[in-house]
Amino acid sequence: MAAESLLLCQGLRSTGGEGSHVTVEDAVSAQFASVIKAFAKPTFENIRRMRHSAQYFDPDGPTITHDDAAWAISTARSAAEGARRVSENGGLSRFELS
């Protein structure tokens, strides 16, 4: 949600459906990973996959441990704080095609 909020501030949003979460991941990682470490591609991908695994339970999927959950909470807080910081510091502008 923090990642999508950054795109929304730019007047952008991912369409729904297959691959939309990966699209958000790619766009936000490319733009903000250097200032919001939680959006570094490997970190973002890990948290996205863990969220998907938790939301769409697969009995054959990997077990999510207490440590995994604690890491995800910490990373999500860091992402939200980073998004807030970027948006408050005027680090965003509306995306427009030229």
Side-chain angles (χ1 to χ4, degrees), residues 24-94:
V24 170
E25 177 186 321
D26 289 344
V28 171
S29 290
Q31 290 187 75
F32 302 106
S34 64
V35 294
I36 303 172
K37 298 303 179 197
F39 292 143
K41 185 72 173 162
T43 303
F44 201 148
E45 183 173 346
N46 193 17
I47 201 165
R48 180 183 55 77
R49 288 180 185 217
M50 190 181 307
R51 181 215 51 88
H52 186 273
S53 178
Q55 189 169 356
Y56 304 103
F57 178 69
D58 176 1
D60 296 326
T63 301
I64 298 173
T65 67
H66 181 271
D67 288 344
D68 292 334
W71 174 84
I73 291 168
S74 174
T75 302
R77 284 186 178 140
S78 176
E81 174 58 27
R84 183 196 60 76
R85 194 175 55 250
V86 167
S87 66
E88 287 180 355
N89 291 334
L92 298 169
S93 60
R94 187 161 177 86

